[in-house]
Amino acid sequence: MQISLTARHFEVTSGLRQFTTQRLEKLQKFATDIHGVHVVVVQEKARYEAEITMNLNGSSLVCTETHAEPGAAIEL
């Protein structure tokens, strides 16, 4: 599974990149047909919005969440 992380309006730390990879790799236990995951984290004032797009066999799943911390937005 290929995981890509994009940040808008802030810099991605190596810790956030590692946290994101560890969390998303756990999804393979539940769905073996995940081909790729694209995470976009946008900082808007004091909030972070994380949008995760998973490419499955023939379809896509998009999840969006906001939180005060970028890691928490990704985890939620």
Side-chain angles (χ1 to χ4, degrees):
M1 172 172 63
Q2 183 175 351
I3 299 171
S4 62
L5 177 63
T6 304
R8 294 188 181 140
H9 308 293
F10 76 104
E11 291 291 324
V12 176
T13 63
S14 62
L16 181 62
R17 187 173 302 278
Q18 182 179 9
F19 173 79
T20 302
T21 303
Q22 289 174 349
R23 285 295 185 190
L24 293 175
E25 284 178 346
K26 291 181 179 182
L27 291 175
Q28 288 182 322
K29 288 189 247 179
F30 304 107
T32 58
D33 60 346
I34 300 173
H35 298 292
V37 179
H38 186 99
V39 180
V40 179
V41 182
V42 180
Q43 181 180 14
E44 297 174 349
K45 298 183 183 179
R47 308 287 286 169
Y48 293 89
E49 179 179 319
E51 178 181 291
I52 300 174
T53 305
M54 288 185 276
N55 296 319
L56 307 167
N57 284 339
S59 63
S60 294
L61 176 67
V62 179
C63 304
T64 305
E65 188 63 52
T66 58
H67 198 274
E69 297 291 327
I74 292 169
E75 188 171 6
L76 290 173

